[in-house]
Amino acid sequence: MDDFIHRYIAAGQTSIANYLIDHYREVGMSNDQFLIYLQVRRQIDRGDELPDAEILAQRLGWDKSRVYQVLHELISGKLMSIATVTNSQGQKQDSYDFSLLTDKLSHLAAQETRQTVQKAATTDRATVFNQIETEFGRPLSPLEMESINQWLDEDHYQPELIQLALKEAVLSQAYSLKYMDRILLSWEKKHLTTAVQVQRERERQEPRRSKAPDSAANTAIPDVPIFKLTDR
């Protein structure tokens, strides 16, 4: 047992990124290519920059011609290349290089991020439409849908900002997109583009409002109607 533990520790470990394990097929790597990658990575970690095909064949139980074929597939599939490196003795030697594989994984990650953002935007848009229809108590007309899409796509109002304007309209019993548009425009003129900025502006105005005398003239839309996101 002690001998096994000594040999187990002496053999070292090969570190493989979990992202690669999860997505190697998505970047075009087959199971056989992944096995070759693992064996090549193991040898590189042990200082063998260009492992001999015979060693790889022995590890995998393959014949050498199959190893050469899979190595060629990795190169032709732009998952691996052969680069010239300088070793610790200052000598130049060839080495298997997996930078192309890393690049493909990074592009995949960027694509996943874009898809996540697009999915979130689609969900937010649907939420805005559903909330307005719920509060108005009726389906939106095509023209109203076009107006909301314009708020999101052309005016670039954040969904949560539109939701705040909807809340103000409902509290004022003004079930109208025109009313909401006036609120959004009033915020835009004050350069308030996020719900957080709107909330801060309200907090800044609270002391002045508490000191102002009551007036019957406050029948128009409040200067900057703001509500906390937690308000229901």
Side-chain angles (χ1 to χ4, degrees):
M1 185 65 178
D2 291 340
D3 180 61
F4 164 73
I5 293 176
H6 176 75
R7 292 172 61 186
Y8 183 87
I9 295 175
Q13 297 182 9
T14 300
S15 178
I16 305 298
N18 286 331
Y19 193 84
L20 171 61
I21 296 174
D22 292 339
H23 300 284
Y24 71 91
R25 292 186 62 83
E26 295 174 52
V27 295
M29 182 180 279
S30 68
N31 291 335
D32 284 352
Q33 291 168 0
F34 185 62
L35 284 174
I36 284 287
Y37 168 82
L38 293 177
Q39 292 297 330
V40 171
R41 186 78 262 169
R42 173 187 184 276
Q43 292 300 114
I44 291 177
D45 289 348
R46 294 170 66 92
D48 185 2
E49 299 288 344
L50 195 72
D52 186 87
E54 186 69 40
I55 296 176
L56 299 178
Q58 291 175 1
R59 299 287 185 190
L60 294 167
W62 296 355
D63 58 62
K64 193 159 61 171
S65 62
R66 185 179 178 189
V67 171
Y68 279 128
Q69 177 185 345
V70 177
L71 288 171
H72 176 72
E73 290 173 355
L74 284 168
I75 294 174
S76 62
K78 299 188 183 304
L79 297 168
M80 181 185 76
S81 63
I82 298 178
T84 300
V85 298
T86 303
N87 61 23
S88 57
Q89 286 76 36
Q91 299 172 332
K92 292 186 180 299
Q93 63 181 47
D94 288 338
S95 170
Y96 288 128
D97 186 340
F98 291 99
S99 297
L100 294 174
L101 173 60
T102 303
D103 289 342
K104 285 196 173 187
L105 289 170
S106 68
H107 292 154
L108 177 64
Q111 182 180 1
E112 288 179 338
T113 300
R114 288 194 297 270
Q115 291 174 346
T116 300
V117 171
Q118 291 172 356
K119 184 177 180 179
T122 301
T123 301
D124 290 343
R125 184 182 298 263
T127 299
V128 168
F129 277 88
N130 290 336
Q131 287 183 345
I132 293 177
E133 286 186 333
T134 298
E135 295 295 349
F136 283 13
R138 60 174 175 78
L140 293 168
S141 70
L143 286 178
E144 288 175 323
M145 292 182 180
E146 184 178 346
S147 296
I148 298 170
N149 281 324
Q150 183 178 2
W151 287 344
L152 293 164
D153 298 332
E154 298 181 18
D155 300 323
H156 302 293
Y157 293 141
Q158 292 187 3
E160 61 183 13
L161 205 64
I162 298 175
Q163 291 166 340
L164 287 177
L166 172 63
K167 178 172 286 190
E168 169 64 16
V170 170
L171 290 176
S172 299
Q173 296 185 344
Y175 302 98
S176 164
L177 291 189
K178 290 184 178 180
Y179 191 91
M180 291 175 60
D181 191 55
R182 290 169 58 193
I183 296 172
L184 291 168
L185 284 174
S186 72
W187 289 338
E188 183 178 1
K189 289 178 181 179
K190 293 180 177 293
H191 306 290
L192 305 175
T193 59
T194 68
V196 172
Q197 290 175 338
V198 170
Q199 177 61 29
R200 287 175 180 171
E201 178 66 12
R202 180 178 185 179
E203 292 172 353
R204 186 182 67 83
Q205 291 186 4
E206 282 299 331
R208 290 188 298 170
R209 289 180 176 178
S210 61
K211 295 179 181 179
D214 294 337
S215 174
N218 285 333
T219 56
I221 296 176
D223 190 20
V224 182
I226 306 152
F227 296 88
K228 294 183 179 178
L229 290 175
T230 54
D231 291 345
R232 295 291 181 185

